Amino acid sequence: MIAQTPRLEIHPDRIAENAKVVYDLCHAHGAQVAAVGKVVCAHPEVIHAMLGAGADMVADSRIPNLASVAALGLERPSMLLRIPTPSAAHDVVRYADITLNSSLGSLTVLSDAARMLGVRHQAVLMIDVGDLREGVWPDQAPDVAKAAAALPHLDLVGVGANLACYGGVVPSVENMRMLVEVRDACREASGLELGLISGGNSSSLPLLASGDMPPEINHFRIGETVVLGSNVLDRSDWPGTRQDTVRLVTEIVELERKPSVPIGLRAQNAFGETVEFDDRGTRLRAICNIGRQDTSVDGILPHDPGIRVIGGSSDHLILDVEDATGDVRLGAEVAFTPNYGALLGLATSPYVEKIVRRG
């Protein structure tokens, strides 16, 4: 059977190798690991690889992804990373054992949903320690925790923080100690144990590897470093991991020599952008069958060092292949390594076939 294009080739065995390296680091610190599969849209082979490497629970931002994980029949807790939507509270409680929350209102809605479903729900109170995405401001957290302790069908099990996503704030000894101090204040105010302190995502791994992570931090939510083998603070290779875990393969649908600068009066493109072009003369250009509807075209790196991504429209990827070293012809395949943002789109797009490769 001929493999279709565009396709995303996934190597779960290689991802499992990466996971073992990262999870061993976390476990040596005495911390649990939530395996985050959202960048591959919770692909079942990747989830199995992560759990087989020792993940303690599965985490995702989307309820449909958690529902698909639940259908696999895996006996591990599930965590919803995205702030719960009140209108979807019943589905949240049904498919997520634990949620990350940033308001008493959300916790109350979840407690009510748990009552109606006849269950108890676990929650982590998120604290904003400087990145300015989700989280209760530190001085308000004890009051929220005290009120949450009175909710009849909800167990507040800990606190957490998110860093390096919105504001790019790097996890540090200072903001991690702040998280511990806020937990202690919440514990005193509420009388709850609050034993779980979730110290962030893959961006926390450099601090953990340095040996400076406070010992009280005992939970991490790890995705990108496992899937792509990258240090998310600078996108360098994470020590001991592989980067050949996923591959985008496209197909050349047009090959022509054309000028490198558009001809005629120019306005905004289809995405409202005014683009500047480098005049490199007449060049051999290829169009491939993928576009911005499926991925971030700025986030894919051609395997052929002689190929350069020029840009893309919603349906087409435009390449300069004048200096290509590989096969360049109509119908030839062109491979790329996607970064995190590009992979997120590829895995989500229904127009990109997903293929599992072994070995």
Side-chain angles (χ1 to χ4, degrees), residues 97-114:
D97 299 306
I98 311 168
T99 53
L100 307 184
N101 292 266
S102 59
S103 72
L104 180 60
S106 293
L107 294 170
T108 302
V109 170
L110 292 175
S111 179
D112 291 341

Side-chain angles (χ1 to χ4, degrees), residues 332-345:
E333 293 186 344
V334 183
F336 305 82
T337 296
N339 66 12
Y340 182 85
L343 177 57
L344 193 65

Side-chain angles (χ1 to χ4, degrees), residues 50 64 82 138 310 347:
M50 290 174 163
R82 198 181 198 182
I310 300 175

Side-chain angles (χ1 to χ4, degrees), residues 3-296:
Q4 298 294 306
T5 61
R7 66 179 183 270
L8 177 65
E9 298 181 347
I10 302 171
H11 292 264
D13 297 341
R14 300 175 185 178
I15 292 173
E17 291 181 34
N18 289 355
K20 185 70 167 55
V21 170
V22 174
Y23 297 168
D24 283 353
L25 174 65
C26 296
H27 289 152
H29 182 75
Q32 296 183 68
V33 182
V36 180
K38 70 175 184 178
V39 74
V40 288
C41 209
H43 193 287
E45 294 285 351
V46 175
I47 298 300
H48 279 293
M50 290 174 163
L51 294 183
D56 302 287
M57 61 182 68
V58 179
D60 208 290
S61 296
R62 309 290 169 141
I63 289 295
N65 286 354
L66 289 180
S68 67
V69 169
L72 298 176
L74 306 173
E75 296 183 356
R76 304 287 174 89
S78 59
M79 172 179 278
L80 178 65
L81 301 176
R82 198 181 198 182
I83 300 171
T85 306
S87 61
H90 286 78
D91 283 341
V92 170
V93 171
R94 184 175 289 112
Y95 294 113
D97 299 306
I98 311 168
T99 53
L100 307 184
N101 292 266
S102 59
S103 72
L104 180 60
S106 293
L107 294 170
T108 302
V109 170
L110 292 175
S111 179
D112 291 341
R115 174 184 57 81
M116 296 181 69
L117 292 174
V119 299
R120 295 191 67 83
H121 184 68
Q122 295 185 336
V124 172
L125 180 62
M126 296 298 283
I127 313 298
D128 193 331
V129 295
D131 199 58
L132 302 184
R133 203 180 74 173
E134 81 273 30
V136 178
W137 208 243
D139 62 352
Q140 300 172 10
D143 289 339
V144 176
K146 181 178 180 180
L151 295 173
H153 296 274
L154 183 135
D155 296 319
L156 191 64
V157 297
V159 300
N162 188 73
L163 290 159
C165 272
Y166 171 69
V169 175
V170 175
S172 65
V173 173
E174 291 74 23
N175 52 39
M176 288 294 99
R177 288 201 184 283
M178 179 190 299
L179 182 60
V180 175
E181 291 169 2
V182 173
R183 188 284 303 267
D184 292 345
C186 290
R187 175 185 278 177
E188 182 177 354
S190 66
L192 298 172
E193 176 62 25
L194 303 179
L196 186 148
I197 307 183
S198 189
N201 51 38
S202 294
S203 65
S204 296
L205 292 176
L207 182 62
L208 181 62
S210 74
D212 293 328
M213 180 67 71
E216 296 90 345
I217 305 298
N218 59 10
H219 183 271
F220 298 100
R221 315 177 301 272
I222 307 297
E224 181 176 350
T225 299
V226 164
V227 176
L228 293 177
S230 60
N231 179 338
V232 304
L233 298 184
D234 59 10
R235 265 65 194 186
S236 61
D237 296 347
W238 185 260
T241 64
R242 305 178 62 145
Q243 290 69 50
D244 56 349
T245 52
V246 292
R247 185 173 82 137
L248 165 65
V249 181
T250 66
E251 188 173 337
I252 295 177
V253 295
E254 179 185 297
L255 188 65
E256 297 287 345
R257 300 193 65 82
K258 294 184 180 181
S260 50
V261 177
I263 300 168
L265 181 66
R266 288 188 282 130
Q268 294 181 348
N269 65 14
F271 292 88
E273 302 163 340
T274 302
V275 182
E276 296 297 326
F277 295 88
D278 295 330
D279 191 351
R280 306 182 69 198
T282 299
R283 307 281 292 181
L284 184 62
R285 293 155 56 97
I287 294 179
C288 291
N289 60 332
I290 198 165
R292 292 170 68 171
Q293 185 168 350
D294 307 295
T295 191
S296 168

